[in-house]
Amino acid sequence: MPKAWEKLDLQGAGVQSLQIRLQKLQKKSLWGYLYWCCFPVGAHRFYLEQPWAWAFPLVSMAIVALAFLGLTWEAVGFAVALCVAALWDLSRIGPWISAYNKDLRKASWFARQTPAAPADYQGRADTREHPMLWQRELQDYTQTKESERAGHPAANAPDRKGFAPGQRRLSFAEQERLLAEMAKSAKSTAAENPPDSTEK
């Protein structure tokens, strides 16, 4: 199914427009690793807006200058240090991208200004008239539970047990006993009325 609608920016301050802008601003892992290939100039650090990005081109220029002056071992030492730093950066590109995108999302979402309430708004009016159905049910349930004691049913609980409305629910032991009696009666009925044997 084509997803062209996901790229349709409706503008405004809606969530859809915000998501599109975030996708454009977020850093991509592919670009981060591709820029790392140009680590002598610190391209990956500039892309991810990491500190000390300028150190890579300075060290690269120092290596070229030392090699031009004939200081081979010094140039090799700087080159090894640069490669070690680049390999360490390679292991940090993923976490850097995740942290950058997370901070970007937080800044974008928290920057949205929620419209304030009207000047004369004083909250929801509570007239305490005509309580809602759930409030009445909660009061009835609370009164029923408060009238019970541990291990004893409520005083006004119905005596008849069963599964029909208005009847007390069977306990687990009573349900097990009922199932055992039903299975026993089914077996006795089957024994009294055996199936007719087929005549050959």
Side-chain angles (χ1 to χ4, degrees), residues 4-79:
W5 61 271
E6 294 183 354
K7 300 180 181 179
L8 179 62
D9 192 354
L10 302 177
Q11 302 300 327
V15 176
Q16 191 258 1
S17 298
L18 178 62
Q19 292 288 3
I20 291 178
R21 289 192 292 272
L22 279 176
Q23 289 180 0
K24 293 179 180 178
L25 295 175
Q26 286 179 346
K27 303 299 183 182
K28 309 297 189 296
S29 299
L30 176 61
W31 285 108
Y33 289 110
L34 288 178
Y35 278 121
W36 179 85
C37 297
C38 302
F39 70 87
V41 295
H44 61 290
R45 280 186 173 253
F46 284 111
Y47 173 70
L48 298 175
E49 301 180 13
Q50 291 295 318
W52 297 94
W54 50 268
F56 281 80
L58 287 181
V59 173
S60 299
M61 293 173 59
I63 293 172
V64 173
L66 291 173
F68 183 76
L69 295 175
L71 302 175
T72 307
W73 289 109
E74 288 79 358
V76 170
F78 275 99

Side-chain angles (χ1 to χ4, degrees), residues 40-41 56 59 64 73 81 83 105 114-116 118 123-124 126 135 138 172 174 177 193 196 200:
V41 295
F56 281 80
V59 173
V64 173
W73 289 109
C83 291
R105 288 193 300 270
T114 304
R124 181 179 298 174
D126 187 7
Q135 292 177 333
L138 179 60
F172 183 76
E174 291 172 338
R177 188 163 52 251
N193 301 321
D196 296 336
K200 296 183 180 179

